[in-house]
Amino acid sequence: MTPLRQRMLDELRLRNYADNTVERYLDAVKSFARYFHRSPDRLGREQIREYLLHLVKDRNAAPNTVQIHRAALRFLYVKTLGRQWFDEQVARTRRRPGLPTVLSAEEITRILDRTTNLKHWTMIATFYATGLRCNELRNLKVSDLDSRRMVIHVRIAKGGVPRDIGLSPILLERLKIYWRQLRPKDWLFPSAMRPDQRLELKSIRMAISTAARRAGIDRRVTPHVFRHSCATHLLEAGADLRTIQVLLGHADIQTTALYLRVSTKRMQAVASPFDTLALKPLSDTGGENPE
């Protein structure tokens, strides 16, 4: 590890950044340095601009990906190297908010029914039943399942704010089957090759993607899609936004309100004002062209 990388790592740890954020920031800075074949402390604003444009134009990176790279470089230059010109000189990428991908209950059932690997099945079921983020599920320990109080302790969460969420009785029964067969000791979903360590994030994402393809889902399915689906289906079942906000661990309820835009049942339940008009019936036997 280079001295600069170690220094940045120390600064991230000093500020108590989440492990997932630390990994992504370091990887982003490594990609930046590799692009120019030079140490970042010998590069400046013009190279940063060129690199971010490269992500947009050449790699067709999503706005969220560009934002992550910018945030990583900002941390390096502002927090680690003390170069305060960054915010003024490096433009932010505008995000155009889109609608989250949501699977139907039938699609989720199909994915589960066609997943034969018990660990993968249990991960998918847990994602959908709890709405956990990928890194939150990855960091679950066997001891985080409290069957007496019927809660799951999410100790490593986004923003460093732990929370408790309800444990589904049906999920608990499936988790017991999983535990009896695979006997995880510490991490709930350990690495197959290194049982004392957690699964890698990319391994979880690959398992989810493979399961969706096997079920004939032609859309891109990630762990977060199950989080979106869980929230949307809870909303359609009558749960209020505040409850869903606490379950998902959203700091701002406006983030949770996004699911109002993708709840088809709620949209279909709202009558159009057109339906209240007292209109004369139209004849379907001919007559004037309505154009």
Side-chain angles (χ1 to χ4, degrees), residues 178-213:
Y178 164 74
W179 184 84
R180 285 196 294 266
Q181 292 196 29
L182 298 186
R183 295 285 177 175
K185 291 183 172 56
D186 186 18
W187 302 108
L188 184 59
F189 298 109
S191 166
M193 301 296 293
R194 293 164 294 186
D196 61 326
Q197 297 185 27
R198 304 161 293 176
L199 269 176
E200 294 290 338
L201 289 170
K202 62 182 179 182
S203 297
I204 298 174
R205 295 189 183 110
M206 186 177 296
I208 298 297
S209 176
T210 301
R213 288 198 304 272

Side-chain angles (χ1 to χ4, degrees), residues 85-115:
W85 46 258
F86 192 97
D87 285 325
E88 183 179 343
Q89 298 292 328
V90 180
R92 292 178 179 271
T93 300
R94 286 186 59 193
R95 289 183 63 186
R96 294 191 177 117
L99 296 178
T101 300
V102 175
L103 298 172
S104 68
E106 185 276 331
E107 287 174 319
I108 291 170
T109 301
R110 196 161 79 237
I111 290 172
L112 288 169
D113 284 348
R114 297 187 185 182
T115 300

Side-chain angles (χ1 to χ4, degrees), residues 34 40 46 51 72 77 80 91 146 156 180-181 189 214 251 270:
R34 187 186 298 121
E46 288 303 319
Y51 178 69
Y77 282 96
T80 307
D146 189 339
I156 300 179
R180 285 196 294 266
Q181 292 196 29
F189 298 109
R214 188 185 299 114
V270 177

Side-chain angles (χ1 to χ4, degrees), residues 13-266:
R13 286 175 173 167
L14 185 63
R15 289 165 172 78
N16 199 29
Y17 275 63
D19 290 344
N20 188 40
T21 303
V22 171
E23 183 180 337
R24 296 179 80 177
Y25 276 22
L26 292 175
D27 284 347
V29 171
K30 183 178 180 180
S31 296
F32 174 64
R34 187 186 298 121
Y35 180 75
F36 289 102
H37 303 287
R38 294 171 69 187
S39 175
D41 59 0
R42 298 171 58 194
L43 302 170
R45 64 200 77 184
E46 288 303 319
Q47 287 77 31
I48 295 171
R49 181 177 181 275
E50 179 183 337
Y51 178 69
L52 295 178
L53 281 172
H54 160 69
L55 294 178
V56 174
K57 295 167 63 177
D58 301 331
R59 292 175 50 182
N60 197 28
N64 191 50
T65 301
V66 178
Q67 279 192 337
I68 291 170
H69 281 258
R70 183 190 184 277
L73 293 172
R74 182 187 184 279
F75 187 94
L76 171 69
Y77 282 96
V78 176
K79 303 298 184 183
T80 307
L81 296 173
R83 300 181 184 176
Q84 302 303 322
W85 46 258
F86 192 97
D87 285 325
E88 183 179 343
Q89 298 292 328
V90 180
R92 292 178 179 271
T93 300
R94 286 186 59 193
R95 289 183 63 186
R96 294 191 177 117
L99 296 178
T101 300
V102 175
L103 298 172
S104 68
E106 185 276 331
E107 287 174 319
I108 291 170
T109 301
R110 196 161 79 237
I111 290 172
L112 288 169
D113 284 348
R114 297 187 185 182
T115 300
T116 56
N117 182 292
L118 180 59
K119 181 189 286 186
H120 295 172
W121 191 101
T122 309
M123 285 194 302
I124 294 169
T126 304
F127 273 128
Y128 178 60
T130 62
L132 287 173
R133 299 177 178 92
C134 190
N135 198 52
E136 291 172 343
L137 179 134
R138 176 182 179 240
N139 281 289
L140 282 181
K141 294 188 173 184
V142 175
S143 58
D144 291 331
L145 305 179
D146 189 339
S147 58
R148 184 178 61 84
R149 295 177 55 213
M150 293 302 290
V151 297
I152 298 174
H153 304 296
V154 185
R155 304 186 190 278
I156 300 179
K158 186 176 181 180
V161 181
R163 67 187 187 280
D164 286 350
I165 59 176
L167 174 57
S168 155
I170 296 176
L171 177 64
L172 176 60
E173 290 306 310
R174 299 292 183 128
L175 285 166
K176 287 179 177 177
I177 295 171
Y178 164 74
W179 184 84
R180 285 196 294 266
Q181 292 196 29
L182 298 186
R183 295 285 177 175
K185 291 183 172 56
D186 186 18
W187 302 108
L188 184 59
F189 298 109
S191 166
M193 301 296 293
R194 293 164 294 186
D196 61 326
Q197 297 185 27
R198 304 161 293 176
L199 269 176
E200 294 290 338
L201 289 170
K202 62 182 179 182
S203 297
I204 298 174
R205 295 189 183 110
M206 186 177 296
I208 298 297
S209 176
T210 301
R213 288 198 304 272
R214 188 185 299 114
I217 309 296
D218 57 5
R219 288 169 288 168
R220 182 171 178 263
V221 177
T222 67
H224 228 65
V225 168
F226 289 96
R227 177 174 167 85
H228 294 323
S229 303
C230 172
T232 303
H233 296 169
L234 281 172
L235 189 64
E236 292 178 340
D240 62 273
L241 280 179
R242 174 58 182 160
T243 300
I244 298 173
Q245 179 192 7
V246 173
L247 171 72
L248 298 183
H250 284 158
D252 188 345
I253 200 168
Q254 292 302 315
T255 305
T256 318
L258 172 67
Y259 296 107
L260 289 170
R261 296 167 56 193
V262 293
S263 174
T264 54
K265 287 186 179 179
R266 280 183 167 252

